[in-house]
Amino acid sequence: MLATVEWMPPTALADWLRCLDDDALAALLRARPDLAAPAPADSAVLATRAGITASVARSCEDLDSFTLAVLTALVVAGADRAPVSQQALSRLLGPDVPAHRLREALDALRCRVLAWGHHEALTVVPAAREIIGPHPGRLGRPAPELDGVDVGAMLADLPPPELRVLRTLAAAAPVGTSRDAAEVLPLYRARTPVARLLARGLLRRIDAGTVELPAQVGIALRGASPLGILQVDEPELAVCRLDPTTVDSTAASAVQDILRHAENLLSWWSRQPPAVLRSGGLGVRDLRRTARHLETTESTVVLLAEVTVAAGLVTSAEDEGDGRLWLPTVAADPWLAARPEQRWVTLAGAWLDLPRLPGLAGTRDDRDRQLAPLSDELRKPAVPGLRRWVLDALAQLPAGSGIEHAAALAAVLAWRAPRRGGRLRDDLVGWTLDEATALGVVALGALTSAGRVLLSTGPAAAASTLGATLPAPVDHVLVQADRTVVAPGPLAPELASEIALVADVESAGAATVYRITEATLRRALDAGRSAADIHELFQTRSRTPVPQALRYLIDDVARQHGRLRTGTAAAFLHSDDTALLAELQAHPVATRTALRRIAPTVLVSPVPLTDLLDELRSAGFTPVAEGPDGQVVDLGRAVRRAPIQPSPVRRPAPSRMLSEQQLAAVVRGVRAGDLLVSRRPALTVRSGSAADTLDLLQQATRAGNCVWISYVDSRGVASRRIVRPVSVGGGVLEGFDRGGGGMRSFPLHRITSVDIL
């Protein structure tokens, strides 16, 4: 396969580039910004870069399905070896391709300089054959011996068995296997269809077991459309029209849910941090346990784990005695105290730039190993760009317009850029939409207002947009007669923490329902709240009367609570109720904890205080811990925090797009370089003769001549520039830089040569 450029004069593409006007050259650099980094010295350098395989591959990622088919047809026609006509190209594409669509595709290829030339002589870069693949259009390599031969007439004379073999190869891959390819026999000795086709030259022998169908035969067999039926236009995307306010309100509910789950995850992992696997991920058991505690799906937990780690709210840290754990960081506390829209934008922004694929968690790799959340196997650096690509497709729809199925969007994106995304492209579209919906960036298949602003403007503006759609935090609750507490909206942070202490969430949604039980009241009392504190909470924050049954329950639990007091002897208990102490001594727990009486109202135990509390509570008693001052203290497991791990600063990938000023500067530099190549210097002074260099520059300044200097900047980068000197003195050349388009200063000691033009 030809993939070299020996056939072409080295200046052919450079000559084409020199003929382009400035607007066309700027359009090329806009479409292929990698060609401008660093700025090319002239058209010859630009032409060389434009033919590099890696650059051509990047440019082909932006081609739609039909334009890629046109490029494939050019390769099939051999335009990488010799110019071909547009008429020959049309014959390959078939009669169903409209002429205007072919012109548009050729213009797109010319704009990217993947092809160039006029309609009678079209040429493509040699690297295109390598990019398209070894069998462009599922055709084999051309056979030189069939050039100029009437292949159709040869096929017409073939017996059905031989024709059947050729048609099978023409309909699928052009390469097949056969034991009859061991050698090419004369036709009179060939006994099998494959052997006879090899003898006639209608098949090519690759090796002892492989044959290939030549391109000329495949084209002849396929009839009027040698490259098959082409999808000329983008498939229509079915969309549903929605009210944008409906989309935003639905997203607001999803935002509240994801924030609640994130808060619960941080709280749960503060007290029950999961272990870090040896492979660096999160174990299946810990994943399932967290999902049960959060009362959500495992996929939601995977997404939350990945996003909170990316946002710096969770990290892997070494913990004394427990090994390496997934722990919330000190950044979690200010995040929990922030406004809902600020918390959302932290999570959504981290997800948007997340170089990982949470959707891969739970799948299996090539060695049939299950991929764990937070493991290195989920890292895919190209994912942020692909994620934005999917969301940008939704952003192109009118506000409130949503897609009905992810598969429909995947089909459209596959047509727009068939070479982008790899084998996981369709899965990635579905995963992106699911994750964006869970985060409230997408709702009902449509991009939300906050999601649009996040993509186009940034986090700060997105937070403001979301804040306008989220319900305002409420500072009251509704206490019901059945011991439930209804929060008619998101609670203010301080009220939410108090309600969460005295009640458990029974159901969540637009209105959250909490249930009060004896266990939840004891939890509040254990944390140091008194019965009076709980009564005051409900009396001041409830918009409905506090039921009498609830008041009685609070008093009953408080009356029983704390009748036993523990301390450290290793631990001690004391109570004014001697009968209760006697009951305790008679209980089996007294044997397990080695309790003994040292005074009528005091028992001691060698068991640590926290363990003693757990044992007594599991036995049905309700002790509380007291401090040295006799006050009740909460000995619940302290909230654990890990320091933020030092990590490389996550900088956004530099934009490949060039500003109009940058484009103009690069174009001027290329034109200046072309001028240098076309002009022969009249005088030359090389480095080592500083006095002569200075004298020559002064002469050029007086005469108003331009000079061509070789210059090494402070970073050691060498370049050549055309400069019109304005002044020379003090060790500095001041002049107008033709390539840069402005006045510049050049220290004389950095100028290595001077040519007068």
Side-chain angles (χ1 to χ4, degrees):
M1 184 176 296
L2 295 176
T4 58
V5 297
E6 284 78 0
W7 65 271
M8 188 190 303
T11 59
L13 178 55
D15 290 341
W16 168 265
L17 292 172
R18 290 188 188 100
C19 294
L20 296 178
D21 59 29
D22 288 356
D23 290 340
L25 198 57
L28 164 63
L29 299 174
R30 197 178 291 114
R32 297 178 65 178
D34 59 302
L35 301 183
D42 53 40
S43 293
V45 174
L46 185 59
T48 301
R49 290 183 190 175
I52 294 175
T53 302
S55 178
V56 173
R58 279 193 296 269
S59 185
C60 286
E61 288 183 355
D62 296 327
L63 299 180
D64 61 49
S65 183
F66 177 66
T67 306
L68 193 63
V70 173
L71 180 61
T72 301
L74 285 166
V75 172
V76 170
D80 58 325
R81 294 187 289 266
V84 300
S85 67
Q86 186 171 326
Q87 184 178 5
L89 186 63
S90 297
R91 286 196 296 269
L92 283 174
L93 294 171
D96 297 330
V97 175
H100 74 279
R101 288 292 288 121
L102 177 56
R103 287 195 301 271
E104 291 170 1
L106 288 173
D107 287 343
L109 294 174
R110 289 192 189 100
C111 178
R112 291 169 171 80
V113 193
L114 298 175
W116 69 94
H118 53 81
H119 63 281
E120 291 299 328
L122 296 167
T123 306
V124 298
V125 290
R129 183 172 293 273
E130 183 178 350
I131 299 304
I132 295 300
H135 302 116
R138 293 181 293 109
L139 293 169
R141 293 170 298 173
E145 59 272 18
L146 293 178
D147 288 340
V149 176
D150 188 352
V151 177
M154 295 179 66
L155 296 176
D157 295 336
L158 289 180
E162 296 176 27
L163 197 58
R164 198 158 43 243
V165 171
L166 295 181
R167 284 176 174 164
T168 299
L169 291 174
V175 175
T177 58
S178 174
R179 290 176 295 181
D180 298 325
E183 60 176 321
V184 179
L185 301 172
L187 184 59
Y188 69 89
R189 291 179 52 195
R191 296 291 180 265
T192 64
V194 171
R196 289 193 291 271
L197 290 170
L198 288 170
R200 289 188 171 97
L202 295 176
L203 279 182
R204 176 192 286 114
R205 178 182 180 275
I206 302 299
D207 55 38
T210 310
V211 295
E212 181 182 25
L213 183 71
Q216 297 95 323
V217 180
I219 290 172
L221 287 169
R222 291 182 181 180
S225 300
L227 297 184
I229 304 302
L230 303 178
Q231 190 168 7
V232 177
D233 297 310
E234 178 178 307
E236 184 177 353
L237 180 62
V239 298
C240 51
R241 305 294 181 181
L242 303 167
D243 187 345
T245 58
T246 302
V247 174
D248 290 342
S249 61
T250 303
S253 178
V255 168
Q256 294 177 55
D257 287 342
I258 202 69
L259 293 180
R260 175 171 52 84
H261 290 320
E263 293 164 8
N264 291 340
L265 180 137
L266 294 175
S267 175
W268 176 246
W269 282 8
S270 295
R271 293 170 171 78
Q272 299 289 334
V276 178
L277 298 177
R278 282 184 294 180
S279 61
L282 176 67
V284 174
R285 290 182 180 177
D286 288 318
L287 173 63
R288 292 173 178 169
R289 185 165 59 221
T290 303
R292 284 196 301 270
H293 179 78
L294 269 58
E295 297 182 348
T296 187
T297 62
E298 293 181 17
S299 60
T300 300
V301 174
V302 171
L303 176 62
L304 281 173
E306 292 283 352
V307 170
T308 52
V309 169
L313 304 177
V314 173
T315 189
S316 60
E318 202 71 36
D319 190 73
E320 293 183 8
D322 292 331
R324 200 157 188 85
L325 304 173
W326 292 108
L327 281 169
T329 68
V330 293
D333 296 309
W335 181 85
L336 289 167
R339 293 180 60 84
E341 58 268 24
Q342 295 295 337
R343 283 182 282 154
W344 172 81
V345 83
T346 298
L347 299 182
W351 169 76
L352 196 59
D353 295 329
L354 181 67
R356 300 171 57 80
L357 265 182
L360 280 178
T363 62
R364 296 189 175 273
D365 62 9
D366 296 337
R367 290 183 285 179
D368 200 35
R369 297 180 308 176
Q370 186 169 342
L371 302 181
L374 301 175
S375 63
D376 288 341
E377 287 78 8
L378 269 59
R379 183 172 179 80
K380 306 290 180 183
V383 164
L386 296 173
R387 190 177 288 127
R388 285 182 178 270
W389 177 48
V390 174
L391 297 178
D392 285 340
L394 294 181
Q396 294 171 9
L397 300 175
S401 297
I403 61 169
E404 297 179 354
H405 304 288
L409 180 60
V412 170
L413 294 176
W415 186 90
R416 289 181 182 177
R419 294 184 60 87
R420 186 185 299 178
R423 61 184 181 86
L424 291 175
R425 179 190 57 223
D426 293 350
D427 290 333
L428 186 141
V429 172
W431 291 336
T432 298
L433 293 177
D434 290 343
E435 293 162 10
T437 301
L439 289 165
V441 177
V442 168
L444 303 176
L447 200 62
T448 64
S449 299
R452 287 179 184 274
V453 176
L454 181 66
L455 285 174
S456 61
T457 308
S464 177
T465 303
L466 179 67
T469 62
L470 288 177
V474 297
D475 60 354
H476 64 275
V477 294
L478 307 174
V479 179
Q480 307 293 311
D482 60 352
R483 298 180 187 174
T484 59
V485 178
V486 178
L491 295 177
E494 68 281 357
L495 178 57
S497 62
E498 289 297 317
I499 295 297
L501 191 62
V502 299
D504 288 333
V505 175
E506 187 169 84
S507 64
T512 303
V513 179
Y514 298 83
R515 178 163 294 279
I516 304 169
T517 64
E518 292 185 17
T520 62
L521 291 173
R522 280 197 296 269
R523 181 175 65 206
L525 294 168
D526 288 344
R529 305 298 188 273
S530 65
D533 294 333
I534 300 174
H535 282 303
E536 182 182 6
L537 171 67
F538 291 131
Q539 288 170 359
T540 58
R541 294 305 184 105
S542 176
R543 291 287 178 86
T544 56
V546 180
Q548 188 179 49
L550 177 58
R551 294 200 302 270
Y552 286 168
L553 177 64
I554 295 171
D555 291 337
D556 288 344
V557 173
R559 190 178 301 113
Q560 297 296 323
H561 189 269
R563 293 169 62 196
L564 288 175
R565 301 278 175 148
T566 67
T568 53
F572 70 84
L573 296 94
H574 77 86
S575 175
D576 296 333
D577 189 343
T578 56
L580 177 60
L581 292 180
E583 178 189 351
L584 180 56
Q585 277 192 291
H587 196 281
V589 73
T591 303
R592 295 198 303 269
T593 57
L595 284 172
R596 63 186 179 87
R597 188 189 294 263
I598 61 172
T601 58
V602 180
L603 301 177
V604 295
S605 170
V607 175
L609 177 57
T610 53
D611 294 340
L612 179 60
L613 282 170
D614 291 340
E615 287 284 353
L616 293 177
R617 287 169 177 167
S618 64
F621 297 93
T622 57
V624 296
E626 69 178 16
D629 56 358
Q631 298 298 314
V632 174
V633 296
D634 183 11
L635 292 184
R637 191 164 189 180
V639 171
R640 292 199 266 180
R641 292 288 183 262
I644 299 176
Q645 297 292 330
S647 59
V649 178
R650 188 179 60 186
R651 297 184 177 89
S655 174
R656 294 173 55 194
M657 299 304 296
L658 300 175
S659 67
E660 293 304 314
Q661 293 79 5
Q662 290 172 319
L663 286 173
V666 175
V667 170
R668 286 196 302 269
V670 171
R671 299 304 189 203
D674 290 342
L675 178 61
L676 289 176
V677 173
S678 65
R679 300 279 296 273
R680 182 185 299 276
L683 296 172
T684 300
V685 177
R686 295 299 175 190
S687 60
S689 180
D692 291 340
T693 299
L694 178 61
D695 182 61
L696 192 58
L697 289 172
Q698 289 173 341
Q699 291 180 31
T701 302
R702 290 191 295 269
N705 292 330
C706 289
V707 294
W708 180 13
I709 65 171
S710 296
Y711 176 73
V712 180
D713 65 17
S714 58
R715 293 172 297 178
V717 178
S719 62
R720 307 203 73 180
R721 300 174 180 273
I722 295 179
V723 179
R724 179 168 56 80
V726 175
S727 66
V728 181
V732 175
L733 165 64
E734 296 278 352
F736 183 81
D737 185 354
R738 291 277 296 272
M743 292 295 296
R744 286 203 53 187
S745 299
F746 301 93
L748 294 181
H749 69 277
R750 295 189 178 278
I751 297 175
T752 58
S753 70
V754 178
D755 299 319
I756 292 184
L757 301 178

